[in-house]
Amino acid sequence: MIENFQGAMTALITPFKNGKIDEETYERLIKRQIKNGIDVVVPVGTTGESATLTHDEHKICIEIAVNACKGTGVKVLAGAGSNATHEAISIAQFAQSHGADGILSVAPYYNKPTQEGLYRHYKALANSVEIPVLLYNVPGRTGSDILPQTAIRIFKECENVIGIKEATGSIDRCVDILAHEPNILVISGDDAINYPILSNGGKGVISVTANLLPDKISELTHFALQNKFLEAKSINDELYDINKALFCESNPIPIKAAMYIVGLTPVLEYRLPLCEPSQENYKKLEEILNKYYIKGF
């Protein structure tokens, strides 16, 4: 079960066109990921603007991802997070019934549960499905922090909880978790520090940059998992500029702009309250993208 969710994973953007999901482009983007060595795709995570999708749109994205990956060996880790536990459970059960291989569930946002509340939330979620559950900790976005002892408690008490996507930006946090529970799956949620997390015992990445450069993120991750750390570090260093640029404004504003600039999406469209980047940052992205070879479809 854990082995299915190691490696290179992509936090997919959700392309829009005229206010609706651009389903054709979405499918093409997923097939491009498969073609370029990605192990797992992650539809409707926070990079997929899940907070502003309707429940029906959320389900459409999961179905498209499952159908696109069918028969390829690439797994689908479907986003199933909410600040209401019953909503997260509903999405998770839909994902399971429609063929997703696992779910990624972001910590409940805005309402700031206690550590006990987080434990109960994830226990209820894990008990509602049989497929693997990966916790997702990104306190800078949610306002709640799944502390190491809480993540480990959930991991030990819930058989299908396999690990945590750590996006605190803290290497110390990852060291802390693995020092106290070496069997938990720690997945990098910060592209700039993918290599340090992998070299410390992390087993994969869920990458924003992989939307653009799935081949490079795949190579980096696979080198690290094969203990070829010099090769992995070299790629991580090569990607440093683009990794930083893709967070010059709130994710997924820059990555969607970058995808449009290089021709991977036909229109640049967000759902409010997100909007296009500033002209200054758009130009910065254009300049940095000139340094990289972006594979097409």
Side-chain angles (χ1 to χ4, degrees):
M1 184 164 64
I2 285 179
E3 290 75 13
N4 287 338
F5 299 100
Q6 297 185 21
M9 305 176 240
T10 304
L12 296 168
I13 66 161
T14 302
F16 297 121
K17 193 173 184 179
N18 299 321
K20 298 180 180 180
I21 296 169
D22 184 349
E23 297 182 23
E24 181 181 349
T25 297
Y26 194 53
E27 183 179 3
R28 292 184 76 205
L29 291 174
I30 294 170
K31 289 182 176 179
R32 176 177 173 270
Q33 293 289 318
I34 296 166
K35 181 180 176 181
N36 284 286
I38 288 296
D39 302 301
V40 180
V41 295
V42 185
V44 286
T46 51
T47 301
E49 295 177 78
S50 55
T52 51
L53 296 181
T54 67
H55 285 186
D56 285 344
E57 288 173 327
H58 203 115
K59 292 172 180 177
I60 287 168
C61 288
I62 292 172
E63 289 177 320
I64 291 171
V66 169
N67 289 334
C69 293
K70 197 169 292 182
T72 68
V74 172
K75 305 299 182 185
V76 176
L77 184 66
S82 174
N83 58 346
T85 303
H86 67 89
E87 287 188 359
I89 287 172
S90 176
I91 296 167
Q93 290 176 336
F94 175 88
Q96 175 173 272
S97 67
H98 286 74
D101 300 286
I103 61 169
L104 173 71
S105 191
V106 70
Y109 42 87
Y110 184 77
N111 44 18
K112 298 181 74 172
T114 63
Q115 295 302 302
E116 180 65 24
L118 288 168
Y119 162 75
R120 295 186 191 185
H121 168 82
Y122 280 115
K123 186 171 184 180
L125 180 64
N127 287 343
S128 74
V129 293
E130 297 176 359
I131 56 177
V133 175
L134 189 70
L135 315 180
Y136 177 14
N137 192 34
V138 56
R141 296 293 291 255
T142 64
S144 61
D145 188 0
I146 309 170
L147 296 179
Q149 60 267 34
T150 302
I152 291 168
R153 180 187 180 195
I154 297 166
F155 173 74
K156 286 183 174 179
E157 295 190 23
C158 302
E159 186 177 346
N160 58 330
V161 171
I162 57 173
I164 185 166
K165 175 187 174 183
E166 260 298 327
T168 56
S170 169
I171 296 296
D172 179 74
R173 175 63 64 90
C174 299
V175 172
D176 187 348
I177 293 170
L178 288 168
H180 293 96
E181 179 46 74
N183 294 316
I184 195 170
L185 205 63
V186 172
I187 303 297
S188 172
D190 283 290
D191 277 307
I193 54 173
N194 282 339
Y195 168 72
I197 290 176
L198 290 166
S199 63
N200 180 64
K203 295 299 183 183
V205 306
I206 296 179
S207 170
V208 173
T209 302
N211 282 283
L212 273 177
L213 293 155
D215 51 328
K216 290 294 185 179
I217 293 295
S218 176
E219 288 174 8
L220 186 163
T221 307
H222 295 156
F223 275 139
L225 294 179
Q226 295 164 13
N227 296 325
K228 296 179 179 179
F229 293 117
L230 290 177
E231 293 92 333
K233 184 179 184 301
S234 177
I235 297 173
N236 200 79
D237 291 346
E238 177 189 344
L239 296 178
Y240 181 81
D241 288 345
I242 189 64
N243 286 338
K244 295 297 287 186
L246 290 177
F247 289 88
C248 64
E249 292 187 23
S250 296
N251 181 49
I253 291 173
I255 183 60
K256 292 192 85 172
M259 298 284 277
Y260 174 71
I261 290 166
V262 301
L264 291 172
T265 54
V267 296
L268 179 57
E269 190 170 320
Y270 303 86
R271 184 161 288 177
L272 288 170
L274 295 185
C275 64
E276 67 280 354
S278 69
Q279 289 185 353
E280 179 185 355
N281 283 329
Y282 192 90
K283 290 178 181 177
K284 183 191 299 182
L285 284 167
E286 288 181 313
E287 291 169 5
I288 290 173
L289 285 165
N290 284 330
K291 300 179 181 180
Y292 298 92
Y293 171 64
I294 312 294
K295 291 186 176 181
F297 294 104

